[in-house]
């Protein structure tokens, strides 16, 4: 795609300039393009390169972001144990930099992975953490995701009244966005 070609050009320039933080950012942006295309292996490879650079400079935001995206890829590939591991690393990096938005998002990721793994109690534990932070900091997009996952979880468990309640909350938040 033209976006991935532009990122390749940027990578060449940043490599010539020895601008490692920009290289890592470009790896991450390139991975986003491949994630959107469903090419998870290529995205994974770019994220691992970005993560290596971020670890060398102890750039916590980059470490959290790359691990969060690796978690998303792992959920999409139904590799739930890896997803949980990546999200937990992202949570720790987000905690170290007092990033409550990141923490809420990554807690949701862990909850989603546990839900898909059919470990419903663990899913609820992490969804509760995501819900609490997203409500405390008025993070509507994350609230919407959390309520949608709760709805699916409760539907799966046959708790239809709770599923309807979460669906109503999902719609309320969605309409506020």
């Amino acid at each position: 795609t033209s976006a991935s070609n532009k990122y390749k050009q940027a990578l060449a320039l940043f490599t010539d300039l020895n601008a490692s933080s920009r290289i890592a950012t470009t790896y991450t942006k390139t991975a986003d393009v491949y994630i959107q295309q469903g090419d998870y292996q290529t995205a994974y490879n770019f994220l691992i390169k970005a993560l290596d650079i971020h670890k060398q400079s102890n750039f916590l935001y980059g470490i959290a972001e790359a691990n969060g995206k690796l978690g998303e890829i792992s959920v999409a590939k139904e590799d739930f144990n890896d997803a949980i591991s990546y999200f937990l690393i992202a949570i720790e990096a987000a905690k170290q930099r007092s990033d409550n938005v990141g923490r809420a998002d990554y807690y949701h990721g862990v909850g989603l992975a546990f839900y898909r793994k059919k470990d419903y109690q663990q899913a609820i534990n992490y969804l509760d953490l995501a819900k609490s932070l997203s409500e405390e900091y008025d993070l509507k997009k994350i609230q919407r995701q959390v309520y949608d996952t709760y709805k699916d979880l409760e539907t799966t468990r046959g708790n239809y009244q709770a599923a309807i309640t979460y669906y109503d909350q999902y719609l309320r938040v969605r309409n506020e966005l």
Side-chain angles (χ1 to χ4, degrees):
T1 68
S2 64
S4 61
N5 288 334
K6 289 183 193 275
Y7 287 130
K8 286 177 186 174
Q9 291 171 351
L11 277 173
L13 173 65
F14 295 143
T15 301
D16 289 345
L17 296 173
N18 198 24
S20 63
S21 66
R22 296 207 182 223
I23 291 170
T25 299
T26 305
Y27 282 150
T28 302
K29 297 292 184 190
T30 304
D32 287 340
V33 171
Y34 287 107
I35 289 169
Q36 290 173 355
Q37 295 172 354
D39 184 350
Y40 298 124
Q41 187 58 51
T42 303
Y44 174 89
N45 293 338
F46 277 106
L47 288 168
I48 293 299
K49 290 178 183 181
L51 187 55
D52 287 343
I53 293 169
H54 292 315
K55 284 180 179 177
Q56 288 172 12
S57 62
N58 197 33
F59 182 50
L60 293 174
Y61 177 83
I63 292 169
E65 180 183 38
N67 276 290
K69 289 177 186 292
L70 288 165
E72 291 171 17
I73 289 172
S74 296
V75 168
K77 292 172 55 178
E78 298 185 354
D79 191 350
F80 304 121
N81 290 329
D82 278 355
I84 292 163
S85 295
Y86 286 126
F87 284 128
L88 290 174
I89 293 167
I91 288 166
E92 285 308 309
K95 278 183 185 176
Q96 288 180 36
R97 57 185 305 274
S98 300
D99 175 7
N100 293 316
V101 175
R103 284 178 48 217
D105 190 28
Y106 305 137
Y107 280 137
H108 173 258
V110 176
L112 179 63
F114 274 120
Y115 162 61
R116 298 267 179 87
K117 191 178 171 182
K118 299 181 181 3
D119 186 340
Y120 302 131
Q121 189 53 56
Q122 283 286 65
I124 290 168
N125 292 341
Y126 282 95
L127 290 172
D128 284 349
L129 291 168
K131 180 177 175 274
S132 176
L133 277 173
S134 66
E135 289 175 348
E136 181 179 348
Y137 294 99
D138 199 32
L139 308 171
K140 298 293 186 194
K141 288 183 181 181
I142 297 171
Q143 286 177 28
R144 183 183 66 194
Q145 293 172 326
V146 169
Y147 291 138
D148 192 40
T149 304
Y150 271 129
K151 170 194 58 81
D152 292 344
L153 185 148
E154 294 301 349
T155 299
T156 301
R157 292 179 5 149
N159 190 350
Y160 301 114
Q161 189 56 49
I164 290 168
T165 300
Y166 284 122
Y167 184 65
D168 288 343
Q169 290 174 310
Y170 165 84
L171 290 176
R172 178 187 51 78
V173 172
R174 187 190 72 183
N175 291 336
E176 291 176 4
L177 288 174

